[in-house]
Amino acid sequence: MKKEKKKIKVSFPHMGTISIAWALALKKMGVEPLIPPYTNKKTLSLGTKHSPEAICLPYKLILGNFIEAIEAGTDYVAMITSPGICRLGEYGTNIQTALKDMGYEAKYIELSLYDGIKGLYNFIRKLIGKNDVILIAKSINILIRTIFVLDDLETTLSYYRARELNPGDAERNFKKGLKYIVDVKHSRELKEAKRKAIAEIAKTKIDKDREVLNVDITGEIFVVLDYFSNQNIERELGKMGVQTRRSLTVGSFLKDAIIPKIFRNGETHLQRAFRMAKPYLMRDIGGDALECVSDVAYAQEKGKDGIIHISPFTCMPEIMSQNIFPSVREDLDIPLLTLIMDEQTGKVGYITRLEAFVDLMRRRKRKLEHQKASEKEVEKV
Ligand code: SF4
C-alpha cells in the first residue's frame, strides 16, 4: 500500500479572524494549518516572559502564539515582515533568536510585504516546495477572497450588535455564520457561504429605531483587528449602542500592499491617506500613522459621530500620530478618543473612558440635531 506523504504543519499568529483565511489557503496548498488557541492571558504571559520589556504589544502576542503553536506540534511558524521605519522589520530576527534561545525547533518563514503579489507568490512557493503556478494562483485567490468576505461579515456584525435586543445574540450568530466560511473547500463556494453567514447574523432580533452612534476605529492595524489586545472594543461599544467601522481592515491593507493595480478599483486607503493627511502629515512615517491622521479627516467628512484611535504602548509611528492629533483637533470638529493598550491595561478604567466618550458623542449629536431643527423652524418663518 502506498504510504501517504505527511503534510507539513504551518502556523500564523492570530489577528481577528485572519486564521480562517490562512487555513483555507493552506489547505488549498496541501499544507496543514495548525491554529493555536486564540490569543489569551496565557499567550500574553508566555510572550511577555520572553520579550524585551519595551517592545510593542503585538510582538509579545505573536511570540506567545508561536510558542503555543510549537508546543502543539507545528513544523513552521509564518510571519509577515516589512523593512522600514517601525519595529515590524525587526520582529523576524528577534522572534527567531527568542525561539532558538528557548530551544524550539520550528522553522521560521516570512512573507515580505514590500514585494507585493510577488512576495506572496514566493512565500507560497517556498512553503509547498515547488513552482506550481496554478496551485499558487488558486491559493492566493481563496486567501484574498476569504479576507474580503470576513471583512464584510464583521461589518454586518457591527450593524446588528449595536441594535440587538438580547445582548450577545449578534456575536453568537456571527460565530455560527463563520462556520460556513470555515467549511469552504473551493473559492467558488465562498459566495454561497457568505450569503448563509449573513443570513445567520440577520436572525438577530434588533430594534431598528434604536438611537445608534456611528464611530470609526483607527490605529495600529494589529490592535484595531485583534480582539484580545483591544479588549474587544467593538463588542463593548456595541453594548452601548455604537456601530463601529474599522478604518483599517485586512482587505484595505491587501489593496495597498498585495493586489496589483489592474485588479483594484478606485482610491485605496493609502492613496486617500496621502491626500487627506495633508497638511498635518506629508509623508509615510511607518506603521499606520499616515492612515490614522487621514482617518480623522475622513471620519469628519463622512459625518461620523466620533473616531477612536487605538495604539500599542511604545508604538513609534502611533506616538507620532498622537502628537499630531492636537493640530488636527484645532481645525476639525469631531470627537476623538485615543487609547493606548499594553499588558497592564485594566478593563474597568478602559470601559469608564469608553462610556464617557459615548456620553459626550450622544450629547453632541442631540445638540446638533436640535440646532438643525431650530434652523429649519426659522427658515419656515
Ligand atoms: S506599527 Fe507600532 S506596534 Fe506595530 S510593529 Fe510597528 S512599532 Fe510595533
Side-chain angles (χ1 to χ4, degrees):
M1 205 170 87
K2 204 179 158 194
K3 217 177 166 192
E4 210 179 300
K5 205 178 153 203
K6 190 178 163 271
K7 287 183 180 174
I8 57 160
K9 293 179 192 156
V10 177
S11 281
F12 277 88
H14 282 290
M15 188 175 75
T17 52
I18 197 157
S19 64
I20 296 175
W22 275 123
L24 294 190
L26 290 172
K27 283 184 197 158
K28 181 60 69 187
M29 294 169 213
V31 168
E32 189 179 330
L34 192 150
I35 304 175
Y38 196 81
T39 311
N40 55 59
K41 282 190 180 155
K42 186 181 160 214
T43 321
L44 174 62
S45 136
L46 281 170
T48 306
K49 195 171 155 199
H50 300 284
S51 300
E53 195 189 343
I55 194 115
C56 37
L57 184 62
Y59 176 90
K60 295 174 184 172
L61 300 178
I62 290 167
L63 181 61
N65 285 153
F66 285 162
I67 295 172
E68 291 189 308
I70 296 170
E71 297 278 358
T74 196
D75 300 305
Y76 281 85
V77 288
M79 178 60 198
I80 54 164
T81 184
S82 78
I85 312 157
C86 93
R87 291 194 192 105
L88 184 58
E90 308 299 320
Y91 273 26
T93 318
N94 288 349
I95 285 173
Q96 286 179 80
T97 312
L99 293 175
K100 206 171 152 206
D101 287 350
M102 281 179 261
Y104 288 124
E105 294 291 335
K107 294 187 187 80
Y108 178 86
I109 184 163
E110 265 180 355
L111 159 57
S112 170
L113 295 176
Y114 272 48
D115 296 336
I117 194 80
K118 204 171 131 207
L120 183 54
Y121 184 96
N122 287 334
F123 170 77
I124 298 176
R125 184 170 54 77
K126 266 192 226 156
L127 263 184
I128 60 175
K130 55 185 173 188
N131 194 13
D132 184 335
V133 181
I134 303 212
L135 184 64
I136 297 175
K138 280 183 178 172
S139 309
I140 292 177
N141 185 35
I142 199 163
L143 175 70
I144 293 180
R145 289 188 56 200
T146 308
I147 283 171
F148 282 106
V149 166
L150 292 169
D151 283 349
D152 289 347
L153 295 185
E154 299 265 9
T155 307
T156 311
L157 165 64
S158 181
Y159 173 87
Y160 281 90
R161 189 163 43 195
R163 295 167 177 82
E164 66 190 357
L165 291 175
N166 304 313
D169 270 4
E171 206 165 301
R172 269 189 291 278
N173 293 334
F174 169 74
K175 283 182 183 157
K176 281 186 205 161
L178 282 184
K179 290 198 183 122
Y180 292 108
I181 314 297
V182 170
D183 291 341
V184 160
K185 303 262 176 318
H186 306 285
S187 51
R188 62 174 178 275
E189 295 166 12
L190 268 171
K191 198 173 166 193
E192 179 60 10
K194 178 180 169 184
R195 191 195 62 73
K196 284 182 178 163
I198 288 181
E200 203 61 57
I201 306 172
K203 285 181 188 165
T204 311
K205 290 198 176 76
I206 56 168
D207 172 4
K208 281 192 182 146
D209 300 323
R210 187 173 184 187
E211 187 193 26
V212 164
L213 294 169
N214 282 287
V215 171
D216 279 1
I217 309 276
T218 188
E220 193 270 344
I221 190 163
F222 185 93
V223 287
V224 169
L225 302 180
D226 178 62
Y227 314 127
F228 178 80
S229 56
N230 66 35
Q231 305 214 14
N232 219 325
I233 188 168
E234 292 180 85
R235 180 199 284 163
E236 297 304 332
L237 287 166
K239 283 188 212 162
M240 299 174 203
V242 177
Q243 182 175 340
T244 49
R245 187 194 73 92
R246 295 173 187 169
S247 300
L248 292 121
T249 60
V250 186
S252 70
F253 170 79
L254 285 179
K255 283 187 188 166
D256 277 312
I258 303 283
I259 300 174
K261 269 186 202 158
I262 46 159
F263 294 120
R264 54 178 207 231
N265 299 319
E267 190 178 42
T268 67
H269 191 195
L270 188 59
Q271 287 166 341
R272 188 179 79 212
F274 274 108
R275 178 170 60 83
M276 294 192 84
K278 287 177 198 157
Y280 313 103
L281 187 56
M282 309 298 277
R283 68 180 184 92
D284 191 353
I285 56 165
D288 305 297
L290 189 76
E291 286 91 333
C292 291
V293 171
S294 72
D295 286 343
V296 180
Y298 186 71
Q300 156 119 357
E301 188 181 280
K302 291 286 161 192
K304 296 293 170 124
D305 297 305
I307 179 161
I308 298 179
H309 175 264
I310 328 173
S311 66
F313 183 55
T314 79
C315 170
M316 298 181 298
E318 297 315 326
I319 290 172
M320 298 296 287
S321 54
Q322 280 170 8
N323 278 287
I324 293 167
F325 288 150
S327 313
V328 180
R329 275 186 172 126
E330 277 176 24
D331 301 331
L332 303 178
D333 176 29
I334 180 164
L336 165 63
L337 174 70
T338 56
L339 295 169
I340 299 170
M341 313 305 292
D342 76 352
E343 62 263 37
Q344 313 291 349
T345 308
K347 188 98 182 180
V348 180
Y350 166 79
I351 298 290
T352 308
R353 289 194 67 196
L354 287 183
E355 282 171 346
F357 186 61
V358 169
D359 201 36
L360 178 141
M361 287 188 293
R362 197 156 271 137
R363 275 186 281 119
R364 176 180 172 272
K365 186 173 184 162
R366 285 178 188 158
K367 195 174 145 197
L368 290 175
E369 282 169 0
H370 186 72
Q371 269 173 5
K372 258 191 204 164
S374 307
E375 279 164 19
K376 269 192 188 161
E377 283 302 315
V378 173
E379 274 170 23
K380 273 188 207 163
V381 178

